[in-house]
Amino acid sequence: MPFLLTDEQKQFGQSLDALLRAAGTPAVLRAWAAGDHGPGRALWGRLADAGVFALAVPEAYGGVGPLPVEAAVACVELGRHAVPGPVAETLAAGVLLAGAGGPVAEEWLPGIASGAAVVSLTLEGYGPYAPDADAADAVFTVTGDVLRLAPGPGEPSASADPARRLFRPEPGGTPVAKGPAIRAAARAAGDTAAFATAALALGCGEELLRATVAYVKQRTQFGVPVGSFQAVKHRLADTLLGLEFARPLLYGAAVELASEVSRPGAGVGSGSAEGSPGAGAAVAAAKVAAGEAGYAAARTALQLHGAIGYTEELDLAWWLRRARPLRDAWGTPSACRARVLAG
């Protein structure tokens, strides 16, 4: 089975890279962490215009999806540029609400596809926190077979990444859908959130490695670049191998998810998908590999940058802080390994 991206998919990733380079995401990140969501929402709108959030929304609701491979391409680029906001959660909400159907889907899915709606969510089995709930237009929660719209973002909790704040949504809220379809949609949404987070982690790790390679080429000791030292080369090579081994697992999971979508009467966002054990295991394998590789890239970057890596002024600090939360969000390494074995 081929895992190579098509020319169109590669061009999609390149166009997002160009868009985000021009956006100056370090300044956006600093504003987001300080509570100013304006620059981040403006960037969110430009990404929506490029079709990013429509990838998880069915055509019937104004989207173009679900398209897991293209979603992976997009999230890798968003992770490489550390785009703030509940990216994985909004994509997962698109799947959740499409599975729920009815008035709640009609109300929220067109806004998700167009970028007008930023959404966060919590699902049973993935922890009680909704990332960036204070910046979201809606926070959805699923308990059993009941989908609710939370009455508020709740109180913030400590987060290793100041630009990815965690909130425990206020309890209660009006039920907006219920029934067995909600359980199935929540399972598919959980897979989507884990899959998107894996892609974000891979992109984060790639940027950490790129910046570290550039740094060790220009930092000198004993009159030579530190990048010429054998120990440094080995550390960087190990980091690269981890990222490159994670990449085919990510796109393999995308192919599994796309196969689920293409089956008649099934598929993420079809309203009848329950998710297959094979697809879930593939997502879990991608999540653990990409999460661990991204976190290893952060450790390498911190060590090889030396004391400057601890400074607030270094833009790379935002990527360093993001790697571990992405590793643990929507499935810790131990939970993902258990799911791979079970699958």
Side-chain angles (χ1 to χ4, degrees):
M1 179 181 294
F3 282 79
L4 294 177
L5 298 175
T6 65
D7 290 340
E8 291 79 6
Q9 290 163 342
K10 292 177 182 177
Q11 290 167 6
F12 178 50
Q14 291 165 359
S15 67
L16 290 177
D17 177 56
L19 185 159
L20 292 167
R21 286 186 186 280
T25 53
V28 177
L29 280 163
R30 286 185 165 85
W32 191 275
D36 178 7
H37 301 133
R41 290 294 295 252
L43 177 57
W44 193 279
R46 292 198 291 274
L47 291 169
D49 291 341
V52 170
F53 302 108
L55 295 171
V57 176
E59 293 183 15
Y61 298 100
V64 297
L67 296 174
V69 176
E70 285 75 7
V73 171
C75 286
V76 168
E77 292 301 328
L78 270 59
R80 182 179 289 120
H81 292 275
V83 172
V87 171
E89 292 73 25
T90 296
L91 293 173
V95 171
L96 174 65
L97 299 179
V104 66
E106 295 172 0
E107 178 180 0
W108 287 99
L109 286 177
I112 290 175
S114 68
V118 176
V119 178
S120 193
L121 80 165
T122 65
L123 301 173
E124 282 187 313
Y126 290 100
Y129 298 114
D132 298 306
D134 61 329
D137 300 297
V139 179
F140 291 98
T141 65
V142 176
T143 305
D145 60 359
V146 180
L147 171 63
R148 288 184 170 87
L149 179 60
E155 292 297 320
S157 299
S159 174
D161 182 356
R164 189 177 185 275
R165 302 175 68 195
L166 301 177
F167 291 79
R168 187 188 292 266
E170 293 180 8
T174 304
V176 292
K178 62 178 62 177
I182 299 303
R183 289 182 182 271
R187 286 194 291 270
D191 283 346
T192 299
F195 172 71
T197 303
L200 292 169
L202 179 62
C204 179
E206 289 179 347
E207 174 58 20
L208 285 162
L209 178 60
R210 183 207 64 77
T212 306
V213 169
Y215 181 71
V216 298
K217 286 181 178 180
Q218 56 91 21
R219 179 187 172 193
T220 61
Q221 285 185 357
F222 310 112
V224 297
V226 297
S228 64
F229 300 160
Q230 197 73 4
V232 172
K233 291 180 179 179
H234 285 171
R235 186 68 185 266
L236 292 171
D238 289 343
T239 302
L240 176 62
L241 284 174
L243 294 167
E244 289 303 315
F245 273 104
R247 191 186 315 279
L249 289 175
L250 176 69
Y251 286 107
V255 171
E256 288 282 354
L257 291 173
S259 298
E260 285 295 300
V261 171
S262 64
R263 288 195 299 109
V268 176
S270 69
S272 60
E274 296 189 7
S276 73
V283 168
K287 177 63 171 59
V288 69
E292 295 282 35
Y295 183 50
R299 292 170 63 90
T300 296
L302 186 60
Q303 180 185 28
L304 297 186
H305 274 81
I308 193 175
Y310 290 92
T311 62
E312 184 72 28
E313 292 76 16
L314 183 70
D315 286 343
L316 198 68
W318 296 97
W319 282 258
L320 290 170
R321 291 168 169 174
R322 182 151 294 199
R324 184 163 183 172
L326 288 176
R327 185 196 70 171
D328 295 338
W330 296 105
T332 62
S334 60
C336 288
R337 290 188 178 97
R339 191 173 185 190
V340 171
L341 293 174

